[in-house]
Amino acid sequence: MVPYAELESFFSGLVATAQSRGITCAITSGMACVHFGVAATTKDCDVLCDAAKSDDFRALIAGTLLRGLSPNYRGHLSPPLDARWMRGGWTSHFTWRTKPEETCLDIFGIAPRGSSPWDRQLHGIYACPNVVAEMKRTNREKDWPFATALGGQMLEEGDLEGWLHLHDADILRRFMKHPAPTERLMGLRPLLGLAPFTDTLRVKRLLLAERAFWSELDELRIRIYQKHLRPYVSAVRRASSGRRDLEVAESHALRLECALEHLPFHPLRDYGLEQMVAEAKANVGVTVGADVVEWLPAAEYNFDGL
Amino acid sequence: MRDFHVRAFGEELARINFLPEKRRKQAVAEMIDHARSKGVKLTRPALGVTP
């Protein structure tokens, strides 16, 4: 078993090396949460990488051994690490076949739900708390407390953007001792207009609605990508003749061919970003209530880079 | 925020979250490695799309 400390050092070193070579990239998600003081029990790593530097990053990954093991693309399902698809929000997946469990690396070119350029807000080798918190607004219950914890930290450090990440009624009320949310933030997140958040039941209901909205949006996003992934995975399987030991370069060439045929560059944009938001809001109108829709976030801003 | 951390993450992780960074990372490493040594699988599923 590769100890976690060694894995953390490995991924930190990979990103630090990449940065030293002019590849803008940053660790996000679980390992970033640990760095910022919200412990996550994850051993895999998520990295944001400037799509324009995807070829350089891929070459670096291909040459980076972990305990003498070379990396591979993970299974048949990974899109190629290529700028054309990264810019459309596709994530690429790599693995080192460590035992007893493989070591995985996921690479994003676009921060899901990002409202601002992630590459201009780095904290050393890490994405900033704001980006990490936005990425935690998923369809998984377990992710939401991380966003709230990061938001609270941001406010305690004087960053008012933290108001966008508090998803707990009690925490919202208690943070009124900090500077109140600005008009701009209220525009992005209408629920903040309920400050000082003393109408607890109403706040709780709107928090449920917000969470349902982001969850619907994430589910829709995943469905859109997966619809295209299915034929792609079959094509990669056929093209690789079932081999899972292809080196990155060979696997990459094969995936490029399959991706050109089966993976649109910008599936979310093709679907319609406004359409996605409208659908997610309509679903919340049904599941929670039509009256909450006007309180949902202006999520049109959360597709930065797409 | 400490009581939120206890409520959201449990006593032990909340304690770890308020340690200085170096000790926090050591504690997280111990926790993860202990779980893995007991057979807990922490590798994320292969989904193709990361949530």
PDB file of all heavy atoms in Angstrom, chain A residues 26-29 46-48 91 106-108 110-115 118 127-140 143 147 150 165 218 221 302, chain B residues 50-51:
ATOM      1  N   ALA A  26      -3.452  23.315 -10.810  1.00  0.00           N
ATOM      2  CA  ALA A  26      -3.662  23.421  -9.365  1.00  0.00           C
ATOM      3  C   ALA A  26      -4.437  22.225  -8.861  1.00  0.00           C
ATOM      4  O   ALA A  26      -5.331  21.713  -9.546  1.00  0.00           O
ATOM      5  CB  ALA A  26      -4.435  24.705  -9.043  1.00  0.00           C
ATOM      6  N   ILE A  27      -4.106  21.800  -7.667  1.00  0.00           N
ATOM      7  CA  ILE A  27      -4.846  20.733  -6.996  1.00  0.00           C
ATOM      8  C   ILE A  27      -6.153  21.314  -6.473  1.00  0.00           C
ATOM      9  O   ILE A  27      -6.190  22.413  -5.902  1.00  0.00           O
ATOM     10  CB  ILE A  27      -4.025  20.152  -5.830  1.00  0.00           C
ATOM     11  CG1 ILE A  27      -2.786  19.418  -6.371  1.00  0.00           C
ATOM     12  CG2 ILE A  27      -4.861  19.208  -4.978  1.00  0.00           C
ATOM     13  CD1 ILE A  27      -1.821  18.945  -5.301  1.00  0.00           C
ATOM     14  N   THR A  28      -7.239  20.571  -6.649  1.00  0.00           N
ATOM     15  CA  THR A  28      -8.543  20.997  -6.150  1.00  0.00           C
ATOM     16  C   THR A  28      -9.205  19.841  -5.401  1.00  0.00           C
ATOM     17  O   THR A  28      -8.558  18.829  -5.107  1.00  0.00           O
ATOM     18  CB  THR A  28      -9.415  21.525  -7.314  1.00  0.00           C
ATOM     19  OG1 THR A  28     -10.621  22.064  -6.796  1.00  0.00           O
ATOM     20  CG2 THR A  28      -9.735  20.435  -8.327  1.00  0.00           C
ATOM     21  N   SER A  29     -10.462  19.995  -5.072  1.00  0.00           N
ATOM     22  CA  SER A  29     -11.281  18.949  -4.435  1.00  0.00           C
ATOM     23  C   SER A  29     -10.677  18.464  -3.118  1.00  0.00           C
ATOM     24  O   SER A  29     -10.202  19.285  -2.328  1.00  0.00           O
ATOM     25  CB  SER A  29     -11.529  17.797  -5.414  1.00  0.00           C
ATOM     26  OG  SER A  29     -12.127  18.310  -6.596  1.00  0.00           O
ATOM     27  N   ASP A  46      -7.560  15.426  -7.741  1.00  0.00           N
ATOM     28  CA  ASP A  46      -8.175  16.187  -8.831  1.00  0.00           C
ATOM     29  C   ASP A  46      -7.306  17.398  -9.106  1.00  0.00           C
ATOM     30  O   ASP A  46      -6.903  18.099  -8.173  1.00  0.00           O
ATOM     31  CB  ASP A  46      -9.575  16.679  -8.444  1.00  0.00           C
ATOM     32  CG  ASP A  46     -10.573  15.551  -8.340  1.00  0.00           C
ATOM     33  OD1 ASP A  46     -10.273  14.437  -8.803  1.00  0.00           O
ATOM     34  OD2 ASP A  46     -11.660  15.798  -7.792  1.00  0.00           O
ATOM     35  N   VAL A  47      -7.061  17.650 -10.371  1.00  0.00           N
ATOM     36  CA  VAL A  47      -6.206  18.781 -10.758  1.00  0.00           C
ATOM     37  C   VAL A  47      -6.902  19.587 -11.846  1.00  0.00           C
ATOM     38  O   VAL A  47      -7.492  19.021 -12.769  1.00  0.00           O
ATOM     39  CB  VAL A  47      -4.834  18.271 -11.262  1.00  0.00           C
ATOM     40  CG1 VAL A  47      -4.048  19.387 -11.931  1.00  0.00           C
ATOM     41  CG2 VAL A  47      -4.023  17.690 -10.112  1.00  0.00           C
ATOM     42  N   LEU A  48      -6.842  20.894 -11.721  1.00  0.00           N
ATOM     43  CA  LEU A  48      -7.251  21.797 -12.793  1.00  0.00           C
ATOM     44  C   LEU A  48      -6.012  22.115 -13.617  1.00  0.00           C
ATOM     45  O   LEU A  48      -4.930  22.342 -13.063  1.00  0.00           O
ATOM     46  CB  LEU A  48      -7.816  23.095 -12.207  1.00  0.00           C
ATOM     47  CG  LEU A  48      -9.215  22.998 -11.613  1.00  0.00           C
ATOM     48  CD1 LEU A  48      -9.437  24.086 -10.573  1.00  0.00           C
ATOM     49  CD2 LEU A  48     -10.261  23.096 -12.711  1.00  0.00           C
ATOM     50  N   THR A  91     -13.455  15.783 -18.510  1.00  0.00           N
ATOM     51  CA  THR A  91     -12.379  15.463 -17.569  1.00  0.00           C
ATOM     52  C   THR A  91     -11.632  14.231 -18.065  1.00  0.00           C
ATOM     53  O   THR A  91     -12.252  13.295 -18.564  1.00  0.00           O
ATOM     54  CB  THR A  91     -12.913  15.132 -16.157  1.00  0.00           C
ATOM     55  OG1 THR A  91     -14.269  14.750 -16.234  1.00  0.00           O
ATOM     56  CG2 THR A  91     -12.773  16.273 -15.231  1.00  0.00           C
ATOM     57  N   ASP A 106      -7.619  12.791 -11.745  1.00  0.00           N
ATOM     58  CA  ASP A 106      -8.614  13.361 -12.645  1.00  0.00           C
ATOM     59  C   ASP A 106      -8.190  14.774 -13.012  1.00  0.00           C
ATOM     60  O   ASP A 106      -7.783  15.543 -12.131  1.00  0.00           O
ATOM     61  CB  ASP A 106      -9.994  13.419 -11.977  1.00  0.00           C
ATOM     62  CG  ASP A 106     -10.643  12.044 -11.876  1.00  0.00           C
ATOM     63  OD1 ASP A 106     -10.027  11.060 -12.326  1.00  0.00           O
ATOM     64  OD2 ASP A 106     -11.758  11.964 -11.333  1.00  0.00           O
ATOM     65  N   ILE A 107      -8.326  15.114 -14.285  1.00  0.00           N
ATOM     66  CA  ILE A 107      -7.846  16.427 -14.739  1.00  0.00           C
ATOM     67  C   ILE A 107      -8.991  17.181 -15.395  1.00  0.00           C
ATOM     68  O   ILE A 107      -9.614  16.692 -16.341  1.00  0.00           O
ATOM     69  CB  ILE A 107      -6.677  16.270 -15.719  1.00  0.00           C
ATOM     70  CG1 ILE A 107      -5.546  15.530 -15.018  1.00  0.00           C
ATOM     71  CG2 ILE A 107      -6.190  17.632 -16.211  1.00  0.00           C
ATOM     72  CD1 ILE A 107      -4.496  14.997 -15.952  1.00  0.00           C
ATOM     73  N   PHE A 108      -9.234  18.374 -14.875  1.00  0.00           N
ATOM     74  CA  PHE A 108     -10.265  19.274 -15.393  1.00  0.00           C
ATOM     75  C   PHE A 108      -9.584  20.437 -16.106  1.00  0.00           C
ATOM     76  O   PHE A 108      -8.587  20.961 -15.625  1.00  0.00           O
ATOM     77  CB  PHE A 108     -11.066  19.916 -14.249  1.00  0.00           C
ATOM     78  CG  PHE A 108     -11.798  18.989 -13.337  1.00  0.00           C
ATOM     79  CD1 PHE A 108     -11.146  18.285 -12.341  1.00  0.00           C
ATOM     80  CD2 PHE A 108     -13.172  18.849 -13.439  1.00  0.00           C
ATOM     81  CE1 PHE A 108     -11.840  17.454 -11.479  1.00  0.00           C
ATOM     82  CE2 PHE A 108     -13.877  18.026 -12.572  1.00  0.00           C
ATOM     83  CZ  PHE A 108     -13.205  17.322 -11.592  1.00  0.00           C
ATOM     84  N   ILE A 110     -11.850  22.923 -17.065  1.00  0.00           N
ATOM     85  CA  ILE A 110     -12.855  23.894 -16.603  1.00  0.00           C
ATOM     86  C   ILE A 110     -13.278  23.466 -15.200  1.00  0.00           C
ATOM     87  O   ILE A 110     -13.535  22.289 -14.970  1.00  0.00           O
ATOM     88  CB  ILE A 110     -14.105  23.859 -17.522  1.00  0.00           C
ATOM     89  CG1 ILE A 110     -13.737  24.166 -18.967  1.00  0.00           C
ATOM     90  CG2 ILE A 110     -15.193  24.789 -17.005  1.00  0.00           C
ATOM     91  CD1 ILE A 110     -13.446  25.610 -19.273  1.00  0.00           C
ATOM     92  N   ALA A 111     -13.356  24.417 -14.287  1.00  0.00           N
ATOM     93  CA  ALA A 111     -13.857  24.106 -12.945  1.00  0.00           C
ATOM     94  C   ALA A 111     -15.380  24.047 -13.003  1.00  0.00           C
ATOM     95  O   ALA A 111     -16.020  25.068 -13.295  1.00  0.00           O
ATOM     96  CB  ALA A 111     -13.416  25.173 -11.952  1.00  0.00           C
ATOM     97  N   PRO A 112     -15.996  22.893 -12.759  1.00  0.00           N
ATOM     98  CA  PRO A 112     -17.456  22.836 -12.794  1.00  0.00           C
ATOM     99  C   PRO A 112     -18.071  23.870 -11.854  1.00  0.00           C
ATOM    100  O   PRO A 112     -17.630  24.028 -10.717  1.00  0.00           O
ATOM    101  CB  PRO A 112     -17.766  21.404 -12.318  1.00  0.00           C
ATOM    102  CG  PRO A 112     -16.542  20.624 -12.648  1.00  0.00           C
ATOM    103  CD  PRO A 112     -15.410  21.586 -12.461  1.00  0.00           C
ATOM    104  N   ARG A 113     -19.055  24.594 -12.359  1.00  0.00           N
ATOM    105  CA  ARG A 113     -19.773  25.627 -11.576  1.00  0.00           C
ATOM    106  C   ARG A 113     -18.875  26.832 -11.249  1.00  0.00           C
ATOM    107  O   ARG A 113     -19.252  27.664 -10.425  1.00  0.00           O
ATOM    108  CB  ARG A 113     -20.354  25.036 -10.285  1.00  0.00           C
ATOM    109  CG  ARG A 113     -21.388  23.942 -10.586  1.00  0.00           C
ATOM    110  CD  ARG A 113     -21.721  23.150  -9.337  1.00  0.00           C
ATOM    111  NE  ARG A 113     -20.619  22.281  -8.942  1.00  0.00           N
ATOM    112  CZ  ARG A 113     -20.338  21.130  -9.522  1.00  0.00           C
ATOM    113  NH1 ARG A 113     -21.062  20.687 -10.533  1.00  0.00           N
ATOM    114  NH2 ARG A 113     -19.310  20.389  -9.104  1.00  0.00           N
ATOM    115  N   GLY A 114     -17.758  26.913 -11.922  1.00  0.00           N
ATOM    116  CA  GLY A 114     -16.871  28.040 -11.660  1.00  0.00           C
ATOM    117  C   GLY A 114     -17.472  29.344 -12.143  1.00  0.00           C
ATOM    118  O   GLY A 114     -18.032  29.398 -13.229  1.00  0.00           O
ATOM    119  N   SER A 115     -17.351  30.402 -11.324  1.00  0.00           N
ATOM    120  CA  SER A 115     -17.903  31.706 -11.682  1.00  0.00           C
ATOM    121  C   SER A 115     -16.815  32.699 -12.072  1.00  0.00           C
ATOM    122  O   SER A 115     -17.123  33.836 -12.434  1.00  0.00           O
ATOM    123  CB  SER A 115     -18.706  32.284 -10.501  1.00  0.00           C
ATOM    124  OG  SER A 115     -17.866  32.436  -9.375  1.00  0.00           O
ATOM    125  N   TRP A 118     -10.377  30.222 -12.768  1.00  0.00           N
ATOM    126  CA  TRP A 118      -9.677  29.562 -11.666  1.00  0.00           C
ATOM    127  C   TRP A 118      -8.174  29.817 -11.719  1.00  0.00           C
ATOM    128  O   TRP A 118      -7.494  29.819 -10.690  1.00  0.00           O
ATOM    129  CB  TRP A 118      -9.937  28.038 -11.685  1.00  0.00           C
ATOM    130  CG  TRP A 118      -9.407  27.334 -12.903  1.00  0.00           C
ATOM    131  CD1 TRP A 118     -10.096  27.045 -14.040  1.00  0.00           C
ATOM    132  CD2 TRP A 118      -8.062  26.872 -13.119  1.00  0.00           C
ATOM    133  NE1 TRP A 118      -9.270  26.421 -14.939  1.00  0.00           N
ATOM    134  CE2 TRP A 118      -8.025  26.295 -14.413  1.00  0.00           C
ATOM    135  CE3 TRP A 118      -6.888  26.873 -12.357  1.00  0.00           C
ATOM    136  CZ2 TRP A 118      -6.861  25.738 -14.945  1.00  0.00           C
ATOM    137  CZ3 TRP A 118      -5.733  26.313 -12.886  1.00  0.00           C
ATOM    138  CH2 TRP A 118      -5.718  25.755 -14.170  1.00  0.00           C
ATOM    139  N   ALA A 127      -5.938  25.247  -6.004  1.00  0.00           N
ATOM    140  CA  ALA A 127      -6.978  26.174  -6.427  1.00  0.00           C
ATOM    141  C   ALA A 127      -7.438  26.936  -5.192  1.00  0.00           C
ATOM    142  O   ALA A 127      -7.264  26.478  -4.064  1.00  0.00           O
ATOM    143  CB  ALA A 127      -8.142  25.400  -7.039  1.00  0.00           C
ATOM    144  N   CYS A 128      -8.040  28.091  -5.397  1.00  0.00           N
ATOM    145  CA  CYS A 128      -8.439  28.905  -4.236  1.00  0.00           C
ATOM    146  C   CYS A 128      -9.702  28.327  -3.585  1.00  0.00           C
ATOM    147  O   CYS A 128     -10.459  27.591  -4.235  1.00  0.00           O
ATOM    148  CB  CYS A 128      -8.681  30.354  -4.649  1.00  0.00           C
ATOM    149  SG  CYS A 128     -10.160  30.573  -5.636  1.00  0.00           S
ATOM    150  N   PRO A 129      -9.957  28.657  -2.325  1.00  0.00           N
ATOM    151  CA  PRO A 129     -11.133  28.119  -1.632  1.00  0.00           C
ATOM    152  C   PRO A 129     -12.448  28.391  -2.363  1.00  0.00           C
ATOM    153  O   PRO A 129     -13.348  27.550  -2.348  1.00  0.00           O
ATOM    154  CB  PRO A 129     -11.102  28.829  -0.269  1.00  0.00           C
ATOM    155  CG  PRO A 129      -9.660  29.144  -0.047  1.00  0.00           C
ATOM    156  CD  PRO A 129      -9.111  29.442  -1.408  1.00  0.00           C
ATOM    157  N   ASN A 130     -12.564  29.549  -3.008  1.00  0.00           N
ATOM    158  CA  ASN A 130     -13.797  29.877  -3.720  1.00  0.00           C
ATOM    159  C   ASN A 130     -14.070  28.863  -4.831  1.00  0.00           C
ATOM    160  O   ASN A 130     -15.189  28.375  -4.988  1.00  0.00           O
ATOM    161  CB  ASN A 130     -13.704  31.289  -4.301  1.00  0.00           C
ATOM    162  CG  ASN A 130     -15.042  31.778  -4.835  1.00  0.00           C
ATOM    163  OD1 ASN A 130     -16.042  31.770  -4.129  1.00  0.00           O
ATOM    164  ND2 ASN A 130     -15.061  32.193  -6.095  1.00  0.00           N
ATOM    165  N   VAL A 131     -13.039  28.533  -5.602  1.00  0.00           N
ATOM    166  CA  VAL A 131     -13.189  27.560  -6.697  1.00  0.00           C
ATOM    167  C   VAL A 131     -13.500  26.173  -6.133  1.00  0.00           C
ATOM    168  O   VAL A 131     -14.379  25.465  -6.625  1.00  0.00           O
ATOM    169  CB  VAL A 131     -11.893  27.523  -7.548  1.00  0.00           C
ATOM    170  CG1 VAL A 131     -11.876  26.323  -8.483  1.00  0.00           C
ATOM    171  CG2 VAL A 131     -11.767  28.812  -8.343  1.00  0.00           C
ATOM    172  N   VAL A 132     -12.767  25.790  -5.082  1.00  0.00           N
ATOM    173  CA  VAL A 132     -12.983  24.471  -4.481  1.00  0.00           C
ATOM    174  C   VAL A 132     -14.418  24.363  -3.952  1.00  0.00           C
ATOM    175  O   VAL A 132     -15.093  23.344  -4.155  1.00  0.00           O
ATOM    176  CB  VAL A 132     -11.959  24.203  -3.355  1.00  0.00           C
ATOM    177  CG1 VAL A 132     -12.212  22.845  -2.698  1.00  0.00           C
ATOM    178  CG2 VAL A 132     -10.541  24.250  -3.903  1.00  0.00           C
ATOM    179  N   ALA A 133     -14.905  25.429  -3.300  1.00  0.00           N
ATOM    180  CA  ALA A 133     -16.264  25.413  -2.751  1.00  0.00           C
ATOM    181  C   ALA A 133     -17.307  25.325  -3.867  1.00  0.00           C
ATOM    182  O   ALA A 133     -18.305  24.610  -3.744  1.00  0.00           O
ATOM    183  CB  ALA A 133     -16.504  26.657  -1.899  1.00  0.00           C
ATOM    184  N   GLU A 134     -17.090  26.036  -4.964  1.00  0.00           N
ATOM    185  CA  GLU A 134     -18.042  25.950  -6.085  1.00  0.00           C
ATOM    186  C   GLU A 134     -18.061  24.534  -6.656  1.00  0.00           C
ATOM    187  O   GLU A 134     -19.119  24.019  -7.023  1.00  0.00           O
ATOM    188  CB  GLU A 134     -17.658  26.958  -7.169  1.00  0.00           C
ATOM    189  CG  GLU A 134     -18.029  28.387  -6.810  1.00  0.00           C
ATOM    190  CD  GLU A 134     -17.560  29.410  -7.830  1.00  0.00           C
ATOM    191  OE1 GLU A 134     -16.577  29.149  -8.560  1.00  0.00           O
ATOM    192  OE2 GLU A 134     -18.192  30.490  -7.884  1.00  0.00           O
ATOM    193  N   MET A 135     -16.912  23.903  -6.713  1.00  0.00           N
ATOM    194  CA  MET A 135     -16.862  22.542  -7.246  1.00  0.00           C
ATOM    195  C   MET A 135     -17.559  21.541  -6.325  1.00  0.00           C
ATOM    196  O   MET A 135     -17.879  20.430  -6.740  1.00  0.00           O
ATOM    197  CB  MET A 135     -15.408  22.124  -7.503  1.00  0.00           C
ATOM    198  CG  MET A 135     -14.783  22.860  -8.677  1.00  0.00           C
ATOM    199  SD  MET A 135     -13.064  22.392  -9.010  1.00  0.00           S
ATOM    200  CE  MET A 135     -13.267  20.721  -9.634  1.00  0.00           C
ATOM    201  N   LYS A 136     -17.787  21.916  -5.062  1.00  0.00           N
ATOM    202  CA  LYS A 136     -18.449  21.010  -4.118  1.00  0.00           C
ATOM    203  C   LYS A 136     -19.967  21.067  -4.202  1.00  0.00           C
ATOM    204  O   LYS A 136     -20.654  20.340  -3.491  1.00  0.00           O
ATOM    205  CB  LYS A 136     -17.999  21.343  -2.686  1.00  0.00           C
ATOM    206  CG  LYS A 136     -16.594  20.859  -2.360  1.00  0.00           C
ATOM    207  CD  LYS A 136     -16.504  19.361  -2.379  1.00  0.00           C
ATOM    208  CE  LYS A 136     -15.112  18.856  -2.014  1.00  0.00           C
ATOM    209  NZ  LYS A 136     -14.992  17.395  -2.195  1.00  0.00           N
ATOM    210  N   ARG A 137     -20.525  21.903  -5.069  1.00  0.00           N
ATOM    211  CA  ARG A 137     -21.993  21.979  -5.193  1.00  0.00           C
ATOM    212  C   ARG A 137     -22.465  20.884  -6.144  1.00  0.00           C
ATOM    213  O   ARG A 137     -22.955  21.147  -7.234  1.00  0.00           O
ATOM    214  CB  ARG A 137     -22.416  23.334  -5.753  1.00  0.00           C
ATOM    215  CG  ARG A 137     -22.164  24.492  -4.829  1.00  0.00           C
ATOM    216  CD  ARG A 137     -22.625  25.772  -5.484  1.00  0.00           C
ATOM    217  NE  ARG A 137     -22.087  26.935  -4.829  1.00  0.00           N
ATOM    218  CZ  ARG A 137     -21.929  28.119  -5.407  1.00  0.00           C
ATOM    219  NH1 ARG A 137     -22.280  28.290  -6.677  1.00  0.00           N
ATOM    220  NH2 ARG A 137     -21.432  29.135  -4.736  1.00  0.00           N
ATOM    221  N   THR A 138     -22.346  19.646  -5.697  1.00  0.00           N
ATOM    222  CA  THR A 138     -22.594  18.519  -6.589  1.00  0.00           C
ATOM    223  C   THR A 138     -23.943  17.872  -6.293  1.00  0.00           C
ATOM    224  O   THR A 138     -24.716  18.363  -5.467  1.00  0.00           O
ATOM    225  CB  THR A 138     -21.503  17.459  -6.423  1.00  0.00           C
ATOM    226  OG1 THR A 138     -21.683  16.839  -5.130  1.00  0.00           O
ATOM    227  CG2 THR A 138     -20.112  18.057  -6.501  1.00  0.00           C
ATOM    228  N   ASN A 139     -24.183  16.735  -6.908  1.00  0.00           N
ATOM    229  CA  ASN A 139     -25.392  15.961  -6.615  1.00  0.00           C
ATOM    230  C   ASN A 139     -25.134  14.949  -5.508  1.00  0.00           C
ATOM    231  O   ASN A 139     -25.921  14.030  -5.317  1.00  0.00           O
ATOM    232  CB  ASN A 139     -25.896  15.255  -7.881  1.00  0.00           C
ATOM    233  CG  ASN A 139     -24.919  14.222  -8.405  1.00  0.00           C
ATOM    234  OD1 ASN A 139     -23.796  14.136  -7.925  1.00  0.00           O
ATOM    235  ND2 ASN A 139     -25.318  13.435  -9.384  1.00  0.00           N
ATOM    236  N   ARG A 140     -24.036  15.110  -4.767  1.00  0.00           N
ATOM    237  CA  ARG A 140     -23.717  14.199  -3.671  1.00  0.00           C
ATOM    238  C   ARG A 140     -23.863  14.927  -2.327  1.00  0.00           C
ATOM    239  O   ARG A 140     -23.213  15.944  -2.092  1.00  0.00           O
ATOM    240  CB  ARG A 140     -22.279  13.666  -3.797  1.00  0.00           C
ATOM    241  CG  ARG A 140     -22.023  12.918  -5.092  1.00  0.00           C
ATOM    242  CD  ARG A 140     -20.622  12.369  -5.173  1.00  0.00           C
ATOM    243  NE  ARG A 140     -19.611  13.406  -4.984  1.00  0.00           N
ATOM    244  CZ  ARG A 140     -18.346  13.298  -5.397  1.00  0.00           C
ATOM    245  NH1 ARG A 140     -17.964  12.208  -6.027  1.00  0.00           N
ATOM    246  NH2 ARG A 140     -17.494  14.261  -5.179  1.00  0.00           N
ATOM    247  N   ASP A 143     -20.826  16.239  -0.146  1.00  0.00           N
ATOM    248  CA  ASP A 143     -19.943  17.333  -0.567  1.00  0.00           C
ATOM    249  C   ASP A 143     -20.323  18.679   0.042  1.00  0.00           C
ATOM    250  O   ASP A 143     -19.473  19.565   0.192  1.00  0.00           O
ATOM    251  CB  ASP A 143     -19.952  17.463  -2.093  1.00  0.00           C
ATOM    252  CG  ASP A 143     -19.157  16.348  -2.766  1.00  0.00           C
ATOM    253  OD1 ASP A 143     -18.283  15.749  -2.090  1.00  0.00           O
ATOM    254  OD2 ASP A 143     -19.408  16.072  -3.960  1.00  0.00           O
ATOM    255  N   ALA A 147     -18.365  22.722   1.339  1.00  0.00           N
ATOM    256  CA  ALA A 147     -18.572  24.075   0.818  1.00  0.00           C
ATOM    257  C   ALA A 147     -18.840  25.045   1.962  1.00  0.00           C
ATOM    258  O   ALA A 147     -18.271  26.138   2.010  1.00  0.00           O
ATOM    259  CB  ALA A 147     -19.724  24.087  -0.181  1.00  0.00           C
ATOM    260  N   LEU A 150     -15.685  25.745   3.955  1.00  0.00           N
ATOM    261  CA  LEU A 150     -14.784  26.648   3.216  1.00  0.00           C
ATOM    262  C   LEU A 150     -15.338  28.069   3.199  1.00  0.00           C
ATOM    263  O   LEU A 150     -14.602  29.040   3.348  1.00  0.00           O
ATOM    264  CB  LEU A 150     -14.602  26.139   1.777  1.00  0.00           C
ATOM    265  CG  LEU A 150     -13.758  24.875   1.624  1.00  0.00           C
ATOM    266  CD1 LEU A 150     -13.903  24.298   0.218  1.00  0.00           C
ATOM    267  CD2 LEU A 150     -12.286  25.165   1.923  1.00  0.00           C
ATOM    268  N   HIS A 165     -21.208  30.458  -0.118  1.00  0.00           N
ATOM    269  CA  HIS A 165     -20.945  29.036   0.121  1.00  0.00           C
ATOM    270  C   HIS A 165     -21.492  28.518   1.443  1.00  0.00           C
ATOM    271  O   HIS A 165     -21.234  27.382   1.814  1.00  0.00           O
ATOM    272  CB  HIS A 165     -19.434  28.774   0.063  1.00  0.00           C
ATOM    273  CG  HIS A 165     -18.803  29.251  -1.202  1.00  0.00           C
ATOM    274  ND1 HIS A 165     -19.232  28.813  -2.444  1.00  0.00           N
ATOM    275  CD2 HIS A 165     -17.819  30.147  -1.440  1.00  0.00           C
ATOM    276  CE1 HIS A 165     -18.515  29.410  -3.375  1.00  0.00           C
ATOM    277  NE2 HIS A 165     -17.648  30.241  -2.803  1.00  0.00           N
ATOM    278  N   ASP A 218     -26.158  19.510 -11.735  1.00  0.00           N
ATOM    279  CA  ASP A 218     -25.027  18.587 -11.845  1.00  0.00           C
ATOM    280  C   ASP A 218     -25.460  17.285 -12.498  1.00  0.00           C
ATOM    281  O   ASP A 218     -24.735  16.725 -13.315  1.00  0.00           O
ATOM    282  CB  ASP A 218     -24.429  18.327 -10.454  1.00  0.00           C
ATOM    283  CG  ASP A 218     -22.997  17.825 -10.535  1.00  0.00           C
ATOM    284  OD1 ASP A 218     -22.281  18.216 -11.490  1.00  0.00           O
ATOM    285  OD2 ASP A 218     -22.583  17.035  -9.665  1.00  0.00           O
ATOM    286  N   ARG A 221     -25.761  17.948 -16.167  1.00  0.00           N
ATOM    287  CA  ARG A 221     -24.419  18.053 -16.741  1.00  0.00           C
ATOM    288  C   ARG A 221     -23.832  16.661 -16.971  1.00  0.00           C
ATOM    289  O   ARG A 221     -23.323  16.342 -18.056  1.00  0.00           O
ATOM    290  CB  ARG A 221     -23.547  18.859 -15.773  1.00  0.00           C
ATOM    291  CG  ARG A 221     -22.063  18.792 -16.010  1.00  0.00           C
ATOM    292  CD  ARG A 221     -21.307  19.512 -14.878  1.00  0.00           C
ATOM    293  NE  ARG A 221     -19.942  19.039 -14.830  1.00  0.00           N
ATOM    294  CZ  ARG A 221     -19.489  18.114 -13.995  1.00  0.00           C
ATOM    295  NH1 ARG A 221     -20.281  17.594 -13.085  1.00  0.00           N
ATOM    296  NH2 ARG A 221     -18.245  17.706 -14.046  1.00  0.00           N
ATOM    297  N   ASN A 302     -22.122  30.636 -13.580  1.00  0.00           N
ATOM    298  CA  ASN A 302     -21.330  29.511 -13.075  1.00  0.00           C
ATOM    299  C   ASN A 302     -20.897  28.551 -14.177  1.00  0.00           C
ATOM    300  O   ASN A 302     -20.828  27.338 -13.971  1.00  0.00           O
ATOM    301  CB  ASN A 302     -22.126  28.765 -11.999  1.00  0.00           C
ATOM    302  CG  ASN A 302     -22.309  29.618 -10.758  1.00  0.00           C
ATOM    303  OD1 ASN A 302     -23.322  30.298 -10.606  1.00  0.00           O
ATOM    304  ND2 ASN A 302     -21.315  29.617  -9.876  1.00  0.00           N
TER     305      ASN A 302
ATOM    306  N   THR B  50     -16.524  13.400 -13.701  1.00  0.00           N
ATOM    307  CA  THR B  50     -16.332  13.642 -12.275  1.00  0.00           C
ATOM    308  C   THR B  50     -17.380  14.643 -11.806  1.00  0.00           C
ATOM    309  O   THR B  50     -17.512  15.708 -12.406  1.00  0.00           O
ATOM    310  CB  THR B  50     -14.918  14.196 -12.018  1.00  0.00           C
ATOM    311  OG1 THR B  50     -13.978  13.332 -12.648  1.00  0.00           O
ATOM    312  CG2 THR B  50     -14.615  14.266 -10.541  1.00  0.00           C
ATOM    313  N   PRO B  51     -18.154  14.295 -10.750  1.00  0.00           N
ATOM    314  CA  PRO B  51     -19.147  15.244 -10.246  1.00  0.00           C
ATOM    315  C   PRO B  51     -18.493  16.541  -9.755  1.00  0.00           C
ATOM    316  O   PRO B  51     -17.323  16.550  -9.441  1.00  0.00           O
ATOM    317  CB  PRO B  51     -19.778  14.496  -9.069  1.00  0.00           C
ATOM    318  CG  PRO B  51     -19.498  13.061  -9.316  1.00  0.00           C
ATOM    319  CD  PRO B  51     -18.200  13.021 -10.062  1.00  0.00           C
TER     320      PRO B  51
END
